[in-house]
Amino acid sequence: MAPLLASGGLFTQTWNGHIAYSLPSPRYIKKKTATMEPEQPAGYFSTFSILDPNRTNPEGPGKPQKRNRRVYVCIPCHRRKLKCDKGQPCSRCIQANAADDCVYQKFPFSSKHESGAEPGETPQSPTQDSPQATPGPSGNEARPRLHGITHWSTIASEFREGWPYIAGLDPEWGPRFRHLQSLKYLVAALPVHHFPFGEICHCSETRENALQSLPPRPVVGTLVRCYFETFHPIYRLLHPREFECELEAFWINVNQHSEEWLAQFFMILALGCKAAPVQVFASTGRRPGAWIDQFLNSSQFFLCRSPVASAPTLASARTLCLGVIARLMDIVKGGETLQLASLMGYVSRMAVSMHLNRTTSLFPELSPFEAELRKRLWVTIQLLELQVAMRTGTSCIHQDYDAEPPLNIDDTSIYHTEHGWILDPTTTQPDYILTDATFQTRLSDIIPTLSEITNMLNTTQFTAPKYDKIQTWDEQLRRKLQEAASVLLMAAQSQAKYPHRPRIQLDFFRILIHRSLLALHHHYISAPRFKQFPSSSHAIIRSSLEILNVHQSWYKPSTTTAPRHRHHSNIPYPTHSAAVALGKAPEATLFNNNNSSYLSKLVLLDLSRDSFGAAMLYLVVSCRRLSLNAIQIQQQQQQPSSEARFATTTPTMITNQNDIRALVSSRLEDFRERACNSPSHYDEFISLAVAEGCLRVLLLSGGNNNGGNMVAGGLREVADGIERTILEGKLWTGSGGGGGGGGTGFTPVTPGGGFAEGGGGFMFPP
């Protein structure tokens, strides 16, 4: 059918008889008359359609109805009618060498409800609300969210005036933001995208070469101890005494262990490097970061040689769990969030195939010791799955299981005889008695509730629960936290050897609980409904402060502990003879209660940094609303909470929005200091720095954004600070990609395990 010229556009009849309207040509646009509608803002599109082709429209025969809708693809792809992946910039604009033109629509809101305006703000008012404010996922519930509520982008989008800058959607800020994002590749080392299922960089090609690359035996022993001192109190994957016996047997005959055990062994060494003092590596001639890469490559080499897919064992399952921990800490270079979720999904499905989720009574052939190891492994997999779901905004896979919790026993209740490992079940203690397994038994009790909450909030078909259900969950979680605190803290006061362990376990437990409470109240603090539920706003501030109190206690060690890892490069390496002496007596020289506690906290800073970032973002949103008098600080907020008698830190007193902004700024320094540890660390630092910069400018301007010019101007200073941070970090890390444990750069190593001065790696026997 020939096109017909009408109303400045072209009507064409489609294959199903409907009439479609296409935009007029540029030549016709120049001929618009004064009677036509005024030009729409940049990035705004109108969709016209003939809803009644039979001309029964009451407004007039054949008159098209106008429907305004927001376009979620970038403007260039929309104009060219191409499919857009909604990237920043999208792949099509990158291919077209037009990345700077890849901007998204700024929707001109027409009502207070659509704009998600805060109380006290007027939509489209230049004095109180930025016209560039973009509604976040929770503000426009008609639009499905790409990520769940626990994902950082969902939280950040509640900061309406800052979200276009945090996400890089503002046209003026976008190019500078993309430039800052590109700088993260300065801190990335060789990527290992397929870890732990394949290597794309140099790796030992034979078993002999992999074993020859081991450091001296004293160093290996120290790294193993570092792992058990820092990771084992949280992730009880192994029985320490059993692994010690297996390691002794390994030194006697390196050929008697399977590939699964060797893969697990090298993963333990890699994580041990992250927690070890830098002096441990003085005799090896290599930095911690180089050893981490070597151990990761060797681990995946042995894992790929094992039947991990066809016949998985407990050792291979533990190796993959250790791989998830390594990705959570970003010691695996080149990793992305989606890869973390994919790896965790594989581990979870493998656990089901091994029937770890089923009661051990179904397997009468198992000894009590083997049944206990399976229980410990299953609880650890549940914990890792919960952490990954919270970080990635996804759901936990397992909700159907009947596995029993681990026994509340000490590790000394398991001993070795000529008949194998024996577990004495008569030594099981009540729940209120502290043992080596108390923390894991408490986790097994609370994880089902936390997983249920996470799945409900991160589902694609989210339906807000009733508020009385939210309050019931809130009370239940706080009660569980107090019960755990009453056991762990009282035991910490009476334990002489390692009093810091129960405190660190309680801090980790507190982070899990309060991170869930933040997500639980998120729906009821989203605009515009938060004014109706002030108790949720108070709960958000309270939980955020609790999380950041833990962050403060971990980030600022006492003056008697070791210096921060970033400055380890300033510590002179001991001589070779001194290093050998350290290796011969690591327990007496390197490990005391202060150093062990400090190293454990540094590790947990990386494992829980997404929770710290979420707490800071919630405080940014709350601070902005406080400045607009949209919410008020609860009177009880100024006093220690009911959990104060179980607290391991001094509560932070908050009286106004200035106190919150000062707290966020001070906590941002930790993210700045660790920004060059990995690309993921850098991305998180950018988001928090931009959010804090937007908040600071808005507070100083009294809410007058002047069309976004003041925020954009203030962010130039933030961008300069980010660039200085990455350049300084590049100088610290030398060759790019800081090592684990704060090691910076590395000394080149010849292939085959050759070392510089102070070498002496384990030699494979002839």
XYZ file of all heavy atoms in Angstrom, residues 454-497:
354
model
N 15.584 -13.476 51.586
C 16.318 -13.092 50.386
C 15.581 -13.525 49.128
O 15.487 -12.762 48.150
C 17.726 -13.710 50.415
O 18.411 -13.279 51.596
C 18.527 -13.288 49.194
N 15.041 -14.739 49.114
C 14.310 -15.212 47.938
C 13.048 -14.399 47.695
O 12.691 -14.099 46.547
C 13.955 -16.690 48.108
C 15.156 -17.596 47.968
O 16.233 -17.155 47.572
N 14.999 -18.867 48.295
N 12.362 -14.038 48.760
C 11.136 -13.248 48.608
C 11.451 -11.872 48.027
O 10.709 -11.362 47.167
C 10.444 -13.113 49.953
C 9.189 -12.236 49.928
S 8.685 -11.667 51.547
C 10.038 -10.562 51.975
N 12.557 -11.266 48.460
C 12.865 -9.907 48.040
C 13.524 -9.848 46.674
O 13.373 -8.848 45.960
C 13.776 -9.246 49.077
C 13.190 -9.108 50.484
C 14.233 -8.558 51.440
C 11.957 -8.219 50.474
N 14.253 -10.872 46.297
C 14.998 -10.842 45.032
C 14.291 -11.562 43.897
O 14.845 -11.668 42.805
C 16.389 -11.462 45.223
C 17.315 -10.563 46.011
O 17.060 -9.380 46.172
N 18.399 -11.119 46.503
N 13.090 -12.063 44.130
C 12.374 -12.754 43.071
C 11.930 -11.774 41.993
O 11.703 -10.584 42.260
C 11.152 -13.493 43.641
O 10.477 -14.180 42.591
C 10.187 -12.518 44.285
N 11.812 -12.266 40.770
C 11.355 -11.417 39.668
C 9.877 -11.050 39.793
O 9.442 -10.052 39.243
C 11.595 -12.126 38.325
O 10.941 -13.403 38.333
C 13.087 -12.345 38.096
N 9.117 -11.867 40.508
C 7.693 -11.593 40.721
C 7.490 -11.110 42.153
O 6.784 -11.707 42.947
C 6.863 -12.858 40.456
C 7.055 -13.443 39.080
C 6.568 -12.503 37.982
O 5.627 -11.736 38.190
N 7.183 -12.585 36.808
N 8.155 -10.000 42.473
C 8.140 -9.509 43.855
C 6.750 -8.989 44.217
O 6.158 -8.192 43.492
C 9.170 -8.405 44.023
C 9.090 -7.708 45.351
C 9.490 -8.353 46.506
C 8.597 -6.415 45.442
C 9.418 -7.715 47.731
C 8.523 -5.770 46.661
C 8.934 -6.429 47.812
N 6.260 -9.463 45.342
C 5.024 -8.971 45.929
C 5.319 -8.559 47.361
O 5.801 -9.377 48.160
C 3.925 -10.044 45.911
O 3.689 -10.448 44.555
C 2.644 -9.510 46.513
N 5.071 -7.318 47.677
C 5.423 -6.804 48.997
C 4.624 -7.520 50.071
O 3.392 -7.616 49.989
C 5.162 -5.304 49.060
N 5.295 -8.051 51.095
C 4.557 -8.679 52.197
C 3.861 -7.634 53.049
O 4.200 -6.447 53.023
C 5.666 -9.398 52.990
C 6.897 -8.600 52.705
C 6.750 -8.088 51.293
N 2.895 -8.068 53.803
C 2.201 -7.154 54.705
C 3.159 -6.676 55.782
O 4.100 -7.361 56.158
C 0.984 -7.839 55.323
C -0.091 -8.176 54.302
C -1.320 -8.786 54.971
C -2.407 -9.083 53.952
N -3.605 -9.680 54.593
N 2.862 -5.494 56.282
C 3.805 -4.859 57.199
C 3.909 -5.616 58.521
O 4.979 -5.611 59.148
C 3.395 -3.412 57.458
C 4.532 -2.590 57.996
C 5.665 -2.348 57.233
C 4.491 -2.059 59.289
C 6.718 -1.601 57.717
C 5.530 -1.303 59.780
C 6.647 -1.084 58.989
O 7.693 -0.352 59.474
N 2.839 -6.254 58.958
C 2.935 -7.023 60.196
C 3.866 -8.218 60.028
O 4.536 -8.632 60.984
C 1.541 -7.473 60.657
C 0.815 -8.279 59.586
O 1.319 -8.360 58.445
O -0.265 -8.824 59.886
N 3.961 -8.759 58.810
C 4.910 -9.838 58.547
C 6.340 -9.311 58.609
O 7.242 -9.985 59.135
C 4.622 -10.441 57.164
C 5.541 -11.591 56.781
C 5.349 -12.790 57.684
C 6.157 -13.984 57.191
N 6.040 -15.160 58.099
N 6.558 -8.114 58.093
C 7.881 -7.488 58.176
C 8.285 -7.308 59.635
O 9.430 -7.609 60.033
C 7.879 -6.138 57.444
C 7.590 -6.330 55.941
C 9.201 -5.415 57.640
C 8.650 -7.075 55.195
N 7.383 -6.825 60.447
C 7.693 -6.600 61.856
C 7.962 -7.908 62.590
O 8.829 -7.976 63.466
C 6.551 -5.829 62.516
C 6.390 -4.400 62.005
C 5.191 -3.697 62.597
O 4.127 -4.288 62.730
N 5.356 -2.420 62.942
N 7.227 -8.960 62.216
C 7.457 -10.263 62.851
C 8.841 -10.789 62.527
O 9.559 -11.281 63.403
C 6.388 -11.271 62.388
O 5.091 -10.778 62.737
C 6.612 -12.631 63.024
N 9.234 -10.690 61.255
C 10.573 -11.114 60.867
C 11.638 -10.267 61.557
O 12.682 -10.781 61.975
C 10.720 -11.025 59.354
C 10.446 -12.316 58.655
C 10.627 -13.568 59.139
C 9.935 -12.472 57.334
N 10.267 -14.511 58.194
C 9.839 -13.860 57.080
C 9.556 -11.592 56.329
C 9.397 -14.370 55.873
C 9.102 -12.100 55.127
C 9.027 -13.470 54.898
N 11.400 -8.977 61.643
C 12.363 -8.087 62.291
C 12.602 -8.520 63.741
O 13.757 -8.641 64.191
C 11.843 -6.646 62.232
C 12.821 -5.634 62.790
O 13.035 -5.650 64.025
O 13.371 -4.825 62.021
N 11.538 -8.760 64.473
C 11.680 -9.187 65.866
C 12.358 -10.544 65.967
O 13.181 -10.770 66.871
C 10.294 -9.229 66.519
C 9.609 -7.869 66.618
C 8.189 -7.979 67.132
O 7.749 -9.129 67.390
O 7.518 -6.932 67.275
N 12.041 -11.440 65.055
C 12.642 -12.771 65.099
C 14.152 -12.709 64.860
O 14.930 -13.357 65.568
C 11.987 -13.669 64.048
C 12.571 -15.072 63.985
C 11.949 -15.918 62.881
O 11.008 -15.478 62.208
N 12.452 -17.120 62.694
N 14.574 -11.935 63.875
C 16.002 -11.843 63.573
C 16.774 -11.184 64.711
O 17.877 -11.625 65.060
C 16.210 -11.063 62.270
C 15.691 -11.726 60.989
C 15.965 -10.843 59.778
C 16.322 -13.099 60.789
N 16.223 -10.143 65.284
C 16.915 -9.481 66.392
C 16.989 -10.392 67.614
O 17.979 -10.366 68.361
C 16.219 -8.163 66.733
C 16.276 -7.138 65.606
C 15.683 -5.806 66.007
N 15.583 -4.918 64.863
C 16.575 -4.152 64.410
N 17.757 -4.184 65.023
N 16.398 -3.365 63.365
N 15.982 -11.203 67.819
C 16.019 -12.142 68.940
C 17.089 -13.213 68.723
O 17.833 -13.574 69.645
C 14.649 -12.798 69.119
C 14.589 -13.742 70.321
C 13.191 -14.283 70.537
N 12.740 -15.101 69.429
C 11.849 -14.711 68.522
N 11.319 -13.502 68.583
N 11.476 -15.518 67.551
N 17.209 -13.720 67.494
C 18.239 -14.705 67.185
C 19.638 -14.111 67.374
O 20.556 -14.793 67.849
C 18.073 -15.189 65.745
C 16.821 -16.011 65.487
C 16.892 -17.368 66.153
C 15.686 -18.219 65.792
N 15.733 -19.544 66.467
N 19.793 -12.843 67.017
C 21.090 -12.198 67.190
C 21.449 -12.072 68.661
O 22.599 -12.317 69.056
C 21.058 -10.821 66.525
C 22.316 -9.964 66.671
C 23.546 -10.681 66.128
C 22.134 -8.624 65.971
N 20.504 -11.719 69.493
C 20.778 -11.587 70.922
C 21.100 -12.940 71.545
O 21.966 -13.037 72.423
C 19.594 -10.937 71.620
C 19.362 -9.487 71.234
C 18.239 -8.842 72.028
O 17.739 -9.419 72.988
N 17.838 -7.645 71.624
N 20.428 -13.993 71.095
C 20.723 -15.327 71.623
C 22.137 -15.759 71.265
O 22.860 -16.314 72.110
C 19.705 -16.334 71.087
C 18.287 -16.117 71.597
C 17.290 -17.035 70.911
O 17.708 -17.782 69.990
O 16.102 -17.005 71.281
N 22.549 -15.502 70.019
C 23.908 -15.857 69.619
C 24.933 -15.011 70.359
O 25.990 -15.506 70.767
C 24.068 -15.695 68.106
N 24.626 -13.727 70.543
C 25.568 -12.839 71.222
C 25.764 -13.243 72.672
O 26.879 -13.161 73.216
C 25.069 -11.398 71.135
N 24.698 -13.676 73.331
C 24.812 -14.045 74.743
C 25.758 -15.217 74.937
O 26.449 -15.303 75.960
C 23.427 -14.384 75.309
O 22.883 -15.506 74.623
N 25.836 -16.123 73.952
C 26.722 -17.281 74.061
C 28.143 -16.927 73.654
O 29.113 -17.224 74.362
C 26.191 -18.444 73.202
C 27.169 -19.617 73.233
C 24.829 -18.888 73.691
N 28.292 -16.258 72.500
C 29.623 -16.012 71.960
C 30.410 -15.011 72.796
O 31.616 -15.191 73.019
C 29.505 -15.514 70.522
C 28.967 -16.535 69.507
C 28.731 -15.883 68.156
C 29.929 -17.703 69.361
N 29.763 -13.959 73.296
C 30.509 -12.951 74.045
C 30.890 -13.425 75.433
O 31.996 -13.152 75.914
C 29.687 -11.666 74.142
C 29.802 -10.724 72.945
C 29.108 -9.413 73.250
C 31.236 -10.471 72.580
N 29.999 -14.132 76.091
C 30.357 -14.644 77.402
C 31.501 -15.638 77.316
O 32.367 -15.703 78.182
C 29.131 -15.288 78.065
C 28.100 -14.272 78.553
S 26.800 -15.003 79.559
C 25.996 -16.080 78.366
N 31.516 -16.412 76.242
C 32.618 -17.344 76.052
C 33.908 -16.611 75.717
O 34.992 -17.017 76.137
C 32.273 -18.330 74.943
N 33.802 -15.510 74.953
C 35.005 -14.756 74.593
C 35.689 -14.184 75.829
O 36.914 -14.075 75.887
C 34.645 -13.636 73.629
N 34.903 -13.821 76.840
C 35.488 -13.259 78.054
C 36.199 -14.308 78.890
O 37.098 -13.988 79.668
C 34.390 -12.588 78.880
C 33.730 -11.416 78.161
C 32.520 -10.895 78.901
O 32.147 -11.424 79.948
N 31.895 -9.857 78.355
N 35.801 -15.575 78.724
C 36.401 -16.636 79.529
C 37.432 -17.446 78.764
O 38.092 -18.294 79.352
C 35.305 -17.577 80.040
O 34.628 -18.183 78.947
N 37.576 -17.205 77.440
C 38.520 -17.981 76.649
C 39.860 -17.273 76.637
O 39.956 -16.108 76.266
C 37.986 -18.155 75.217
C 38.655 -19.291 74.475
C 38.016 -19.504 73.113
O 38.055 -18.620 72.272
N 37.437 -20.672 72.898
N 40.889 -17.979 77.009
C 42.203 -17.353 77.161
C 43.038 -17.435 75.898
O 43.778 -16.506 75.570
C 42.952 -18.011 78.328
N 42.950 -18.543 75.142
C 43.866 -18.748 74.024
C 43.514 -17.863 72.844
O 44.353 -17.143 72.318
C 43.845 -20.221 73.614
C 44.896 -20.553 72.559
C 44.920 -22.046 72.254
C 46.010 -22.357 71.223
N 46.048 -23.797 70.879
